[in-house]
Amino acid sequence: MKQSGNILFTGVGGQGILLASELTAYAQLAAGYDVKKSEVHGMAQRGGSVVAHLKYGERVYSPLIEPGTADIQVAFEELEAVRYLPFLHRDSAVVVNTQRILPPAVATGRASYPDNILEELRTRHIHVVAVDAFAVAREIGEIRTANVVLVGAMSNFLAVSPGIFLDVIDERIKKGFREVNKKAFTAGRDLVYASRRHDAKR
Amino acid sequence: MRPKTGSLWLSGNEAIALGAWEAGVRVASGYPGTPSTEILENLCSYEGVYTEWAPNEKVALEVALGACFAGVRALATMKHVGLNVASDPLFTASYTGVRGGLVVITADDPEMHSSQNEQDNRNYAFAAKLPMFEPSDPAEAKEMLARAFEVSEQYDTPVLFRITTRIAHVKGVVETGKRIGPAEASIEKVPGKFVMLPGPARTRRAAIEERMTDLRDLAETLGENRIEPGPTTRGFITAGTSYNYVKEAFPEAAVLKLGMVWPLPGEKIRDFATGVDELIVVEELDPFLETHIKAMGVRCRGKDLIPSRGELSSFIVRKSIEPEKVGELFDPIELPMRPPNMCAGCPHRGLFYSLSRMKDVFVSGDIGCYTLAALPPLSAMDACVCMGASIGMAHGMAKALGEKGKGRIVAVIGDSTFIHSGITGLINSVYNDSYSLVIILDNRITAMTGHQQNPASGANIKGEPAQAVNLEKLCRAIGVKRVTVVNPHDIEATGKVLKKEIARGKTSVVISRAPCVLLPSEVKRKKPVYRTVTENCTGCMACIRIGCPAISWHPLTPGEAVERGYRAKQKGFSMISGVLCNGCGQCAALCKFDAITAVEDEG
């Protein structure tokens, strides 16, 4: 089992990044790690670019991930998946939601949204797992679980067993939403697991 | 509620709230400000402790001081710039000392994540002659708060407790402890301590010197000032979150970690310095420790290596000291920026849209969500300095400009900010016969910091009903002759009122009143959703200019335009996202081509 690691959560204010990072952190805690998480509140939240740092290990001091050391990035939006590139390294895995939220300059016609932005990661040999989390969440019947779909997809890259994640969902999520979130987690996890097996066969 | 027990995973602010409860705090007062807000938001749910939002930080500290004069432990919380507001009582509370313990939390914001400056409030400890504690993480914050209260009572002093964003908004494992039963409050008259007339103040001034001498002795033995031994080649002196960065960048190194950052343990520092070949002080922002250590005659390095601007990190610490050990990184790619924006359906947008059309008007702004109106495409704010400054600045401009400025000066200020420190500015404007228009943006809540109640919102910190200030009556009582209330979502009517009031040449007040769209009552309210009738869109961009996040521009080539049935020279069309639209209707009022219509919300 990996002794320590760094997970970066990126996206746009209001996308449910907080819950995703909390569930991940609680799963790591349950697995016996020390965990620190850092995020920024206040003005930065209002629809702006948002980032949360999660670090786990035997003993974590700094709550901030160093540039070049994020092992996993969970990006809730395509542009945001690339914005924090200096934090990644060649063996990083990036789980990205294939959603595009137009930044103000693009939405007001003063700039354009870059085409094929994820290629910027792939050409640097970073492992990109693109997930249409909304489509998966819609299929499950609760669009608001897209963030948990992404957690499920990301969990494939952690040594924490899926059962621990499901227990955390049981513990942390309100009764009415538990089952649907567990479904979302499992669907996200299976999606990537299946594609990885597919890659392996090729 | 009683907090859970055992091993918890808490943010620094949650840990401090728990620590305050465990320390037996009886009264806590504060004003919301990132990154301090969640301390009181958490503490207010605990049993046996009175909490409140004060109108500003000065009042909050005075409330806590009064509670400590009554013999109980008291807490005041604020962000770094809030301590500027509270500095008046702070400096003299240093003279009075305490009865019950008094701790003042200052939450600094290096990097200015959500602030207008990044002042280093350790300087207040020096200037006000007060001890200051600074924890490194949530667990330590909770433990150290208990120590801060002990020191406050044992040394008869208010204690400053400095946290930064990377303590306040970092989550870590925290062990719960036992609660100390709060002291019984009582009245005790101690005029020699509590009445700071010149005579008693001179006596207390001497007591401060004695106290600081005693505290310097305490600093030598205090467990929070600890040495972590290591090789003698290089040693670090550090405190707060910087300690974490040193531990990660140089895990084996010898470290003197200071938990109390003022006053400093001179002997301990000298001993530590003697034991290492090279001494480096690692601290965020000002060379506070470094300056005072150098003043002791101890040779050290510090800001010649470590940046004095912005946050540090283990990466920055390593790079500053051993740049050769930093590996290669991916370069960042230039991407469209994603600054924060006012929410879809925000009432402020309508008001600032009207102001954005008045190009020769100077908009003197203030602190809140609405400061975002300074960003494009609205670009409708021309100054923003500190809480409450808008009104005074507008008045000063008016007096400087005289006749030339008539009809061109406007102050805009939020409801909570107006109560915080705008009222005195307005009194001044009326008293000294100004002509600036003052616009109060009344969205019924303190929104920027995450919806805290305030004296105008009609509820207290627990959400229980409370007396609400009537802003219209307040302004009239000050002597404002004209007070007009507008609904900022009604762009046309608002624009007309603004034009008329700006041109009047006398101080008048416009209250722009509509609740924040994120208030639970607004979220629940059934509203229409606006949709684009794309075939009617002419690409005029009128709706784009309000900068609503729910509206986006879709550019077209001439070929694509024709294919869609537009004229070839139409450059694009606009589209409203039904998911993001909050139904304010501001955009529909701006569309002259019937390309935006309301549909009933299915949800």
Side-chain angles (χ1 to χ4, degrees), chain A:
Chain A
M1 191 160 163
K2 199 163 183 301
Q3 286 312 299
S4 65
N6 302 326
I7 310 173
L8 198 65
F9 293 82
T10 64
V12 179
Q15 280 192 300
I17 294 166
L18 184 70
L19 178 72
S21 62
E22 295 271 301
L23 290 179
T24 309
Y26 278 111
Q28 302 279 30
L29 283 163
Y33 291 110
D34 183 24
V35 182
K36 271 191 182 152
K37 192 182 76 155
S38 187
E39 61 203 24
V40 170
H41 302 195
M43 182 166 267
Q45 274 184 315
R46 300 272 176 266
S49 173
V50 169
V51 59
H53 296 232
L54 191 159
K55 294 180 63 173
Y56 63 95
E58 197 182 328
R59 161 101 203 240
V60 179
Y61 285 99
S62 165
L64 296 176
I65 295 174
E66 282 196 27
T69 69
D71 304 303
I72 303 171
Q73 179 186 205
V74 185
F76 284 60
E77 200 269 353
E78 291 192 11
L79 206 56
E80 300 310 308
V82 182
R83 193 180 300 284
Y84 299 90
L85 184 61
F87 279 91
L88 305 179
H89 55 76
R90 283 188 197 287
D91 298 318
S92 298
V94 177
V95 175
V96 53
N97 184 22
T98 53
Q99 190 195 3
R100 291 175 158 212
I101 300 175
L102 306 183
V106 176
T108 53
R110 289 173 291 128
S112 55
Y113 197 103
D115 286 331
N116 299 322
I117 187 70
L118 296 178
E119 283 308 305
E120 296 284 1
L121 300 178
R122 293 193 181 103
T123 53
R124 286 167 179 79
H125 306 290
I126 294 165
H127 182 45
V128 177
V129 180
V131 177
D132 187 349
F134 280 118
V136 178
R138 209 174 292 123
E139 215 167 284
I140 288 163
E142 178 51 83
I143 188 93
R144 285 175 291 181
T145 61
N147 53 354
V148 178
V149 171
L150 290 172
V151 172
M154 181 270 296
S155 70
N156 287 291
F157 298 95
L158 296 177
V160 178
S161 81
I164 291 184
F165 275 94
L166 295 173
D167 289 348
V168 167
I169 291 172
D170 264 334
E171 236 173 81
R172 300 276 155 194
I173 290 186
K174 269 193 282 181
K175 213 173 174 189
F177 294 94
R178 262 176 218 162
E179 289 313 311
V180 72
N181 274 292
K182 281 158 92 170
K183 260 197 217 166
F185 174 86
T186 307
R189 186 170 173 97
D190 290 350
L191 199 72
V192 177
Y193 187 66
S195 78
R196 280 174 101 190
R197 265 197 319 199
H198 180 69
D199 282 350
K201 265 188 217 163
R202 275 195 303 191

Side-chain angles (χ1 to χ4, degrees), chain B residues 213-283:
Chain B
T213 305
D214 294 346
L215 283 164
R216 269 187 285 272
D217 290 344
L218 171 73
E220 300 290 351
T221 55
L222 192 75
E224 281 79 358
N225 292 339
R226 66 166 187 267
I227 290 173
E228 296 174 7
T232 57
T233 44
R234 184 193 280 155
F236 292 94
I237 298 182
T238 185
T241 190
S242 302
Y243 164 77
N244 298 315
Y245 307 143
V246 169
K247 289 300 282 185
E248 289 210 345
F250 301 98
E252 310 300 329
V255 174
L256 167 52
K257 180 193 186 295
L258 296 171
M260 190 162 84
V261 292
W262 191 255
L264 296 177
E267 268 178 55
K268 197 170 230 170
I269 288 170
R270 274 189 206 94
D271 285 352
F272 182 74
T274 315
V276 293
D277 302 338
E278 182 189 30
L279 180 62
I280 302 178
V281 179
V282 177
E283 56 191 324

Side-chain angles (χ1 to χ4, degrees), chain B residues 27-31 40 44 50-55 59-60 63-64 77 460-461:
Chain B
V27 172
S29 186
Y31 183 80
L40 285 192
C44 76
Y50 168 80
T51 53
E52 65 173 28
W53 289 127
V59 175
V63 168
T77 70
N460 67 15
I461 193 169

